[in-house]
Amino acid sequence: MIVSILAPFTFGLSFFLFGMYAMRTGFQNLAGKKMEQWMGKFTRTPIHSFWIGLLSTFVLQSSSAVTVLTIGLTNAGIIQFSQTVGIILGTNLGTTVTTELIALKLESFAIPMLLIGVALWLMPRRAVRCTGLVVAGFGLIFLGIDTLKLMAAPLEQSETFRSLFLESRHSIGVGLLTGIIFTGLIHSGSATTVITMGLLAHNVLSMETALAIVLGANIGTCFTAVIASIGTNTASKQVAWCHTLFNVAGALAFLPFLPQLALVSAFLTENPSMQIAHSQTIFNLVCSLVALPFTSHIARFIQWLIPDKRNPSKRV
């Protein structure tokens, strides 16, 4: 029983994370150098910063990677902390693009995409090779999803898991904590969301608990940024903690309304995976749009919370 759960989990997660890495590498080689220039040049207003954060997250396939990049640019003095709040709001919405694509259930294209990607990667032209990495990355992601599905059936039949599940399936707090810890360990909110989709499809989780895990995954993605800010200047620490506090506040604000969020997503689609994807999109869209007009206020609050001791009079 343990092997039938651990084997697909280990291989599936490995395929998924390696696929994310391959996509990120391909996209970064295609547009990575220009992205730093864009982030430095087109972040003068909150709206511009928001779109840069959204597009950069889609390119790098990781909100944590964009936040770490933002920390690096802030630490180097290329952009100011006040410019980063919009980027942070955009990264949260950018992560939902990948989730929506994953929810389309394109696993049958996994092997063809992998083969096409490898064939393109063997071509001499650099742009074609990078495109091949992106395509192969998508193939690995879908292969990982297909493999992860194999662990749902043994979990569903496990008496031990069933007893634990019956006690915690309606515990929103346990779901939130699970999403935070698991995402913090594997450094991928998308992987946590995919596993949650698989368990929900096999009725191993209730919708409210699954949504709580996804909210927890949003918080868990901040661990990488907090670690990356260690040893940097005050502005970089402000970026990391702004991202963390915003995600925590958004999750706590939505937590009492998970049944309503589940009803809205169920109205939009009958597919459980799509319901998770749509719920995550709605959550991040609402949080970002509500906060966007108040970016300067958020920046002042974070600067008050984490003051620059070398220059205490500095303001936004």
Side-chain angles (χ1 to χ4, degrees):
M1 177 66 74
I2 294 176
V3 175
S4 62
I5 295 171
L6 283 181
F9 175 79
T10 303
F11 284 108
L13 187 60
S14 298
F15 288 146
F16 185 91
L17 294 177
F18 187 65
M20 293 286 282
Y21 174 77
M23 279 185 65
R24 188 180 310 144
T25 303
F27 271 130
Q28 198 166 12
N29 285 329
L30 285 170
K33 291 180 181 178
K34 293 181 181 178
M35 196 155 46
E36 288 191 22
Q37 297 173 0
W38 295 339
M39 290 181 74
K41 187 183 294 184
F42 301 112
T43 54
R44 303 304 177 191
T45 68
I47 298 294
H48 289 157
S49 299
F50 175 80
W51 282 108
I52 285 294
L54 194 158
L55 294 172
S56 299
T57 302
F58 176 69
V59 168
L60 292 183
Q61 293 297 302
S62 171
S63 61
S64 298
V66 175
T67 307
V68 169
L69 176 59
T70 305
I71 288 171
L73 294 174
T74 309
N75 192 49
I78 296 174
I79 57 177
Q80 301 299 312
F81 166 67
S82 57
Q83 298 171 253
T84 67
V85 179
I87 296 174
I88 291 167
L89 301 182
T91 60
N92 281 356
L93 189 59
T95 57
T96 64
V97 178
T98 304
T99 307
E100 292 284 358
L101 288 173
I102 289 169
L104 291 175
K105 293 186 175 294
L106 302 174
E107 291 89 331
S108 57
F109 296 100
I111 300 301
M113 290 180 79
L114 186 57
L115 293 174
I116 291 170
V118 171
L120 291 175
W121 187 76
L122 294 173
M123 296 292 108
R125 293 185 61 182
R126 182 175 177 275
V128 177
R129 288 167 61 87
C130 293
T131 303
L133 271 179
V134 174
V135 176
F138 261 118
L140 281 170
I141 286 172
F142 294 129
L143 184 62
I145 293 170
D146 214 24
T147 308
L148 283 168
K149 285 180 178 178
L150 299 175
M151 76 174 184
L155 279 176
E156 194 178 11
Q157 297 167 5
S158 169
E159 290 299 325
T160 304
F161 190 85
R162 277 181 173 277
S163 61
L164 289 171
F165 169 61
L166 289 172
E167 291 181 15
S168 63
R169 67 178 295 176
H170 297 297
S171 174
I172 303 301
V174 171
L176 185 73
L177 194 61
T178 300
I180 293 171
I181 294 172
F182 191 72
T183 303
L185 289 173
I186 65 174
H187 298 282
S188 175
S190 297
T192 302
T193 303
V194 164
I195 293 170
T196 304
M197 285 176 176
L199 295 176
L200 180 66
H202 285 77
N203 298 315
V204 179
L205 293 174
S206 66
M207 176 58 77
E208 287 81 5
T209 304
L211 292 180
I213 293 172
V214 173
L215 293 189
N218 267 33
I219 298 173
T221 57
C222 302
F223 286 173
T224 307
V226 172
I227 293 169
S229 70
I230 296 173
T232 58
N233 61 18
T234 302
S236 299
K237 290 182 173 66
Q238 289 169 345
V239 173
W241 284 105
C242 180
H243 188 207
T244 303
L245 294 175
F246 177 76
N247 282 13
V248 170
L252 293 179
F254 256 84
L255 214 53
F257 304 104
L258 289 186
Q260 289 78 12
L261 184 59
L263 285 174
V264 172
S265 61
F267 174 77
L268 294 173
T269 178
E270 295 181 358
N271 185 315
S273 296
M274 291 300 292
Q275 287 176 12
I276 290 288
H278 292 345
S279 296
Q280 188 189 33
T281 300
I282 292 168
F283 162 71
N284 284 299
L285 182 62
V286 170
C287 288
S288 296
L289 292 182
V290 167
L292 199 55
F294 305 101
T295 52
S296 61
H297 298 82
I298 295 170
R300 290 193 190 98
F301 172 73
I302 296 296
Q303 288 178 321
W304 170 80
L305 196 65
I306 308 171
D308 189 344
K309 296 178 181 179
R310 293 177 301 176
N311 190 6
S313 63
K314 190 175 181 179
R315 292 290 181 267
V316 178

